[in-house]
């Protein structure tokens, strides 16, 4: 197999679930950073926000070793590991959380710009606080997803931000001169007595989205004899924490594949005094849970993949919830009514009835066959 940089940059089949791993923005980031990367020593390159490994593998193909990588999505991290083994770079990359160790002493940072300005602010703060004083950040994205506010956020932590020429509807912001760095701290808001904590990039931030509000208003008492519940796709942990507050006898498992969501849910549970009864895990759906082990699951499934509305994510969650539920167990789901998930719930889980509906969202309960 041809492992040359030119061959790897073609990457027609290097894909994660549902989305291509490499696009014009990835290739532009690699091209703009090529000279800077060629002059770096080992462990001097950090990659943040890589979807399925295009940036990290591109840097490895150009000779980089000891590359430190952070991806918010666990599925992205898993895809990178698989793709790295496939292309022979398994020992060149290390996945790390968004902490000082990710960027300590880094001379070059390759960043796929996140949609959330708060997420960008968290990344910029960590890099400015812990990277080499001469670090250069190459932050790129598709033009349709970039805003001038991103430049302003980078300027909060870097003395100079340059803008490259656009290519194939993509552009790169180049930041130098780090200052005023800080480690991420969650934003906090209080809603009807509930403290919500959110790190950058967590869905809905420190607010409570209207779908979750509708679900909270109609969640039932746990089934008789139940001493545990699951909050699947927990986000900032609002449902998990609310369940623990309402039912002091209940232990709750909150899970999400997003690192930002998991950190946020832990902070929310701690801020509300229920961290001893809310276990938060980073998981691909419910992959770590055994079959037939739960009687109650609450779910507010995501309906975006990246920036696109997609109906492909929720059915996988329904199927895994069905696997984990014991016979007679209940899946309480809130979903955007336009997506018409009820037939999928009926097919994958069991008999499903509508509990509530407003102008935009529907709450259903599905009973495991």
């Amino acid at each position: 197999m041809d492992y040359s940089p030119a061959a790897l940059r073609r990457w027609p089949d290097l894909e994660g679930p549902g989305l291509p791993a490499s696009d014009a923005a990835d290739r532009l980031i690699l091209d703009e950073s090529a000279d800077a990367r060629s002059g770096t020593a080992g462990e001097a390159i950090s990659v943040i926000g890589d979807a399925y490994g295009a940036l990290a593998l591109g840097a490895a193909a150009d000779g980089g070793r000891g590359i430190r990588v952070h991806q918010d999505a666990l599925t992205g991290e898993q895809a990178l590991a698989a793709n790295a083994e496939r292309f022979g770079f398994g020992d060149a990359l290390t996945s790390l959380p968004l902490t000082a160790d990710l960027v300590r002493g880094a001379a070059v940072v390759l960043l796929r710009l996140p949609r959330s300005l708060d997420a960008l602010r968290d990344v910029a703060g960590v890099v400015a606080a812990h990277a080499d004083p001469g670090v250069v950040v190459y932050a790129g994205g598709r033009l349709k997803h970039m805003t001038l506010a991103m430049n302003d956020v980078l300027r909060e932590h870097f003395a100079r931000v340059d803008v490259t020429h656009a290519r194939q509807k993509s552009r790169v912001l180049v930041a130098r001169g780090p200052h005023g760095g800080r480690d991420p701290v969650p934003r906090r808001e209080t809603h009807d007595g509930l403290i919500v904590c959110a790190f950058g990039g967590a869905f809905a931030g420190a607010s409570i989205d209207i779908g979750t509000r509708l679900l909270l208003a109609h969640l039932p008492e746990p089934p008789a004899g139940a001493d545990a519940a699951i909050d699947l796709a927990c986000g900032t942990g609002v449902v998990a924490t609310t369940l623990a507050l309402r039912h002091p006898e209940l232990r709750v498992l909150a899970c999400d594949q997003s690192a930002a969501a998991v950190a946020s849910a832990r902070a929310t549970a701690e801020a509300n005094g229920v961290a001893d009864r809310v276990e938060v895990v980073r998981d691909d759906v419910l992959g770590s849970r055994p079959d037939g082990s739960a009687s109650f699951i609450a779910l507010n499934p995501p309906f975006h993949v990246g920036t696109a509305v997609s109906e492909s994510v929720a059915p996988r969650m329904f199927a895994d919830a069905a696997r984990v539920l014991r016979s007679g167990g209940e899946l309480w789901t809130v979903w955007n009514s336009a997506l018409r998930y009820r037939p999928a719930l009926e097919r994958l889980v069991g008999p499903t009835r509508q509990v509530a509906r407003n102008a935009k969202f529907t709450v259903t309960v599905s009973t495991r066959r």
Side-chain angles (χ1 to χ4, degrees), residues 125-136:
V126 169
V127 174
H130 302 289
D132 187 272
V135 67
V136 184

Side-chain angles (χ1 to χ4, degrees), residues 115-134:
R115 295 171 62 193
S116 161
L117 294 179
D118 283 339
L120 179 58
R121 190 169 284 110
D122 283 356
V123 170
V126 169
V127 174
H130 302 289
D132 187 272

